[in-house]
Every structure is written in C-alpha cells, then in structure tokens.
Amino acid sequence: MPKPFSRTRGRPRFPALIRLLQNPKLGLGGGFVLLLVIIAVFAPAIAPHDPLEQDLMASALPPFWLAGADPAHLLGTDDLGRDVLSRLIFGSRVALTVAVVAGVAAGTVGSLLGLLAGYFDGWTDIAVSRLIEIWMAFPAVLLSILIVAILGSGVGTVIVAIAIIDWTRFARVIRADTMANAQADYVVAARTLGFGRWTILFREILPNVMPGLIALLAMEMGIAVVIEAILSFVGLSVSSDTPTWGSMIASGRQIIYQAWWVFAAPLAAVFATVLAFNQLGDGLRRALDPVMRR
Amino acid sequence: MSEPRLLSIEGLSAVSDRDNGAPILRDVSLAVAPGEIHGLVGESGAGKSTIARAILGMTPRTVRITQGAIILGNTELLSLDARQLRRLLGAEVALIPQDPLTALNPSRRIEAQMTDGLRMWKGHSAKSARERALTLLDEVQMREPERVMRCYPHELSGGMRQRVLIAAAFALEPKLVIADEPTTALDVTVQKQILKLIRAMQARHKTGAIFVTHDLGVVAQICDRVTLLYQGKVMEHGLTADLLLKPRHAYTKALVRATPRYDRPVDGLIPVPDAVIAACRAEIAGFDGATHG
C-alpha cells in the first residue's frame, strides 16, 4: 500500500531515543547532569570518607598523580586534612538542590509574568516591562548579598535570592515569544472557536513557548550553581559544617600556593556543571521544538 | 425580497483610526441566504477581509466601525460585548483561514485541535469527539485519517492542512462559514480540489458561506451570489452568472475582461483601463462628499 506521507514514512519506533542519539549536546549534557544527580542522591554511599572528618596529620595531601599522595585520598586533602573528593561529592547536594529549586522558582515567576505581558498588551505589558527594566539595573550579586543579609543565611534564602534576581531572564524571553505567537493565525482560529483568553494563553500559546522555556530553565540551573558558589564563597550560603563548592573555593584560596588542588577541584566541578546545564538546555531546545526537529 | 436571511449586513461603514479617519467601508449592505455561498470580491484594500473580520468581532484596533448593523439570525452582533459574541459565534460561525501553514497550532496534534470545539460546544466525550473528527476527516477525503490525527501540523502538506481546517470548520455544524481566501496560499493544482471540497461540504451540511477572494475565476466556480467591492464600496452585486455574464457596472465589465481565460488566450494581461479607475474614484469621491456634506 503506498504511503502518501513522505515525511513520516519509516517513523522510527523510539523517536525520542533516536533524537537523543542524534544530538550529542543533549546526550553529553544530560548524561553529566544525570550522573551528578545520582552522585548527590547517593553521596553517603559513594563518598570514600566523611566530608567533615579532620585529620591534621594528613593535611594538604596532593591528588593521586602527584608525588607524596595517599591512595586513600584520590583528590588529596585540604588544610584541615578533609578528603577533597568526599567534600566535592557532598557539595553537589547543595549545588543541585539550589539549581533545581531556584531554577524552577525563577522560571515559574518569570514565565508567568512574561506570558501575561506578552499576551495582554496595554498596561499589563507596560507594568511588567518597566519592572523588568528596573530590576535589571540592580547589580545581581550585590542584590543577592543584600537579600541574604536581610533574610539570614541558609539554603532557603539562597534559593529565594536567586529566584528574585533571575526571573527577569525568563520574563523577557517568554514575553517576546508570547507576543510572536499571539499574532499567529492559530490564535485567531482559537478565538473564532470561542475560546477564552486564558484558555488560549495556556492551552494554545504555552505549548509553543515551552521548548524555549525548558532550554532557559536548564541554563538558569547552571547560573544558579554559580550564584550559590559565589554566595558560599563570601560565606552567605549554608552553615560551614555543610560542604559546598563555593566554601571549598574560599578555603582553597587561602592555601592556593601550598595546595592548589583544594581550590581547583571545586572550581572544575562548578565549571563542568554549568557547561553541562548549558549544553543540556541547547540540546533540549532543538529536540523539543516540533518545527526544528523535523 | 422576502427570502429567509441567515446573515445580513446593513449600511456598514468603518474608518481607519490611523490615516486621519480614512474610510475603509462605505455603507456596505449584503445578505446571505441559508445554504448559499456569497462571494466578496475586490482588489487588495477593498475591505473584503475587514467585513469578514467585522462579522467575527475581530477587526484590528486601528479599524473603527462607525455605523451599520450585522444581523445573524435575529441577533445584531455589533451591540454584543465580547463574551456574548463569543458564546454566540463559537458554534454558529466558523472560519476557514487564509494560510493553512500558520492556522494550526504547531505544537499540538491534529486530534487535539480537531476535538477542542466538539468537546467544548457539543459536550462530546474524548472518545466520541475523536470518532466525529475521524468522520469529518473522511468527509474531506483525507487518506489515513487515523494517522493524520496523530500528526503535528508540520508533518502535513499545505493541501492536507487546509483539508484539516475545512473539516474543523464544519465540525460544529455552523450556520455560517467564513472562508478568507482559503486557496490563495495553495498550489494551483490543489486549489481546485479544495474549492470542490468546500462546495461539497457546504452543500452536505447546508451551511451558508461567505467566500472572500480576489479571483473572479474562483467566484465563477463556487459562488451563488457575488458582492463586488472597490475601496470599501459595493460596486455591484447579484447572482454570479448575471454579474459575470451581464455586468452592468463599468468596473465589473473591466474586471471580467481582465480575468485570464483558457478559451481566450491573449498576449499578456489586460489591465483595468485608467478611465474606469478614474470613474470609480470619482464615484467614491462623490459618495464621500454626499455623506460628509
């Protein structure tokens, strides 16, 4: 029997899987993020040492490929003799928690305002747009330090601070995307069918801005990791008995000439995580967009 | 005439809010009987799409309707607020849009888009709406309707998308279908099939239709009655055969002569003579002078 569709002929059995394999950004970025999630969840089982256990007799041991290393401490120890690898592993917990929760919070607030501004032009758009402009004039890091100073330190505060600072990223992009979609004929068609404005906004327009939103969300998670590291670095994140990458960078900085690896290891972790989130975001954008993925 | 009317437009006038209140529609009146296809013909800017949009209550913000009435059944539409209009039009008036490439939501499957209205207006369950949608796709001679239902719009060709849109337009058994140049964005070879299809669907469902086009050839194929517009003013109206074979107005005569025909090959296209255009402009200027003076 002849098949009239040339484009859908031979539609693969597992289109999602095929697409993933065709898209190295998605595979590599997503793979690394998934690995990170597993590490964070099973940190107590994976970490070779207690991240808080001090051993002043074994302080500042180098990583395994340098002379004088102890095979029990693969990435060496810091100035208090704590195992760097174990601290990295436990540090991923705070980093990922903040990334996911703060990313979703900023994304929800920002996209909602962006959708409203893009669809209901007039005073709603004017109000949201001016708010975005005012917001973006604040220096982000200083604003976050101010928020933490007012609310007190802790993971919850860091999350709130990131959401308060970064919703504008979502709002700007989603607003423009919504405006473009609101002009499309399918919105006119939905209106002639008698759908209300909210139905059109959430059922017709939202699915079309979703690929962009998800991509932004992944990238925002990378940014949240950096902001958390900065706040930990200046000692405004969680209490010092919880290992974080930022506080490791801060303590490593003080002994950078004696033991550079204590500084370099968490820096590399932040770098790899942000890179992975960015690649994941870009890969998702390509994979999810029904027009781009033909 | 005392024949039953589905839709009548009486003395509709509109101005542009942008160009110093330049008139867009000038005292337009027309009537659509149940089950007939009424052609709205004119060149670009003649106001044919504005009339279609006015019926749907979706004129652009820059267009302001100054007087007139649009009566559907027994209800005057211009006096309704947005909510009342939506409730009335949703199931009774459907639109077949101009560009099938953008008129379907790119990120929703055909099934979802075809069943929306059925579930909202006709109280169908997901299952019965699906069955109804399949029947409709079958009516528009879509091959493999089951498969089409699972597709996203970008997986279908332009002609297939237009078939989906036609099926969707007739889904709620509307009393009136407004087709806004439904064949303009399509390949010429597909155009004729789509025209036949609209005609067949309209006859089967006994639906009245307003068919907006600039092509007199299309009018000859599909319309029962025609209203010819120039710069927002009705130049001539009547039964299609009368208007095309025995045009009374000079503009109509010139347009009929300008339409290319297979049985009458010419070297190049015949333009509408400048003298006719000048006469039309003078007529409109005279009309404007009379209404303003």
Side-chain angles (χ1 to χ4, degrees), chain A residues 220-266:
Chain A
E220 175 61 29
M221 289 181 181
I223 293 164
V225 169
V226 173
I227 298 183
E228 192 279 323
I230 292 171
L231 291 175
S232 301
F233 182 82
V234 296
L236 289 174
S237 183
V238 293
S239 56
S240 56
D241 56 359
T242 311
T244 64
W245 294 344
S247 61
M248 289 175 74
I249 294 172
S251 66
R253 191 183 61 90
Q254 291 162 2
I255 53 163
I256 190 163
Y257 295 111
Q258 295 84 43
W260 56 265
W261 53 88
V262 181
F263 181 80

Side-chain angles (χ1 to χ4, degrees), chain B residues 237-264:
Chain B
H237 63 90
L239 296 173
T240 306
D242 291 348
L243 189 122
L244 292 181
L245 298 176
K246 292 176 281 179
R248 293 188 305 269
H249 197 282
Y251 181 62
T252 322
K253 285 179 188 161
L255 270 192
V256 170
R257 209 176 306 126
T259 305
R261 275 165 53 175
Y262 294 111
D263 58 341
R264 196 182 57 189

Side-chain angles (χ1 to χ4, degrees), chain A residues 90-155:
Chain A
F90 273 88
S92 69
R93 296 186 135 187
V94 172
L96 279 188
T97 309
V98 170
V100 172
V101 181
V104 169
T108 309
V109 174
S111 321
L112 219 52
L113 286 171
L115 280 168
L116 295 180
Y119 191 59
F120 299 102
D121 42 6
W123 69 265
T124 317
D125 185 26
I126 292 169
V128 174
S129 297
R130 293 301 90 77
L131 194 63
I132 292 172
E133 282 157 18
I134 293 167
W135 223 259
M136 290 183 64
F138 279 106
V141 172
L142 297 182
L143 183 62
S144 60
I145 290 174
L146 182 69
I147 291 168
V148 175
I150 294 170
L151 297 180
S153 61
V155 176

Side-chain angles (χ1 to χ4, degrees), chain B residues 202-265:
Chain B
Q202 176 266 343
R204 174 177 313 173
H205 295 267
K206 299 182 177 57
T207 314
I210 287 184
F211 199 101
V212 177
T213 182
H214 57 258
D215 187 341
L216 283 180
V218 168
V219 167
Q221 287 179 57
I222 194 166
C223 297
D224 302 303
R225 200 177 281 274
V226 191
T227 297
L228 179 66
L229 295 156
Y230 182 76
Q231 294 196 354
K233 189 173 185 318
V234 176
M235 302 313 269
E236 186 166 353
H237 63 90
L239 296 173
T240 306
D242 291 348
L243 189 122
L244 292 181
L245 298 176
K246 292 176 281 179
R248 293 188 305 269
H249 197 282
Y251 181 62
T252 322
K253 285 179 188 161
L255 270 192
V256 170
R257 209 176 306 126
T259 305
R261 275 165 53 175
Y262 294 111
D263 58 341
R264 196 182 57 189

Side-chain angles (χ1 to χ4, degrees), chain A residues 5-282:
Chain A
F5 299 56
S6 58
R7 278 203 190 124
T8 53
R9 181 182 300 164
R11 180 186 278 237
R13 199 169 166 76
F14 297 105
L17 191 68
I18 303 282
R19 240 181 283 133
L20 192 96
L21 294 174
Q22 281 168 346
N23 188 334
K25 286 187 167 187
L26 189 59
L28 291 175
F32 188 84
V33 170
L34 190 68
L35 183 72
L36 214 58
V37 170
I38 293 170
I39 288 174
V41 170
F42 298 105
I46 295 170
H49 296 272
D50 181 343
L52 302 175
E53 183 189 281
Q54 299 183 8
D55 181 1
L56 291 173
M57 300 303 291
S59 70
L61 287 175
F64 69 91
W65 66 87
L66 293 178
D70 179 346
H73 300 285
L74 279 178
L75 292 181
T77 57
D78 65 6
D79 51 337
L80 297 174
R82 296 174 297 192
D83 183 51
V84 171
L85 178 61
S86 303
R87 290 178 67 73
L88 269 191
I89 289 171
F90 273 88
S92 69
R93 296 186 135 187
V94 172
L96 279 188
T97 309
V98 170
V100 172
V101 181
V104 169
T108 309
V109 174
S111 321
L112 219 52
L113 286 171
L115 280 168
L116 295 180
Y119 191 59
F120 299 102
D121 42 6
W123 69 265
T124 317
D125 185 26
I126 292 169
V128 174
S129 297
R130 293 301 90 77
L131 194 63
I132 292 172
E133 282 157 18
I134 293 167
W135 223 259
M136 290 183 64
F138 279 106
V141 172
L142 297 182
L143 183 62
S144 60
I145 290 174
L146 182 69
I147 291 168
V148 175
I150 294 170
L151 297 180
S153 61
V155 176
T157 308
V158 171
I159 288 168
V160 169
I162 292 173
I164 288 177
I165 295 164
D166 267 354
W167 64 270
T168 54
R169 285 177 203 278
F170 290 90
R172 274 189 312 159
V173 176
I174 299 300
R175 170 178 171 269
D177 226 0
T178 306
M179 286 175 110
N181 274 290
Q183 305 293 323
D185 276 353
Y186 71 81
V187 171
V188 175
R191 280 171 62 192
T192 56
L193 202 53
F195 281 127
R197 298 196 288 187
W198 295 101
T199 317
I200 290 176
L201 184 57
F202 287 104
R203 225 162 76 171
E204 301 286 328
I205 295 178
L206 182 61
N208 285 297
V209 302
M210 213 58 192
L213 173 56
I214 289 173
L216 267 183
L217 194 61
M219 292 186 193
E220 175 61 29
M221 289 181 181
I223 293 164
V225 169
V226 173
I227 298 183
E228 192 279 323
I230 292 171
L231 291 175
S232 301
F233 182 82
V234 296
L236 289 174
S237 183
V238 293
S239 56
S240 56
D241 56 359
T242 311
T244 64
W245 294 344
S247 61
M248 289 175 74
I249 294 172
S251 66
R253 191 183 61 90
Q254 291 162 2
I255 53 163
I256 190 163
Y257 295 111
Q258 295 84 43
W260 56 265
W261 53 88
V262 181
F263 181 80
L267 199 64
V270 170
F271 172 80
T273 307
V274 174
L275 186 66
F277 272 121
N278 284 346
Q279 298 302 302
L280 175 64
D282 202 31

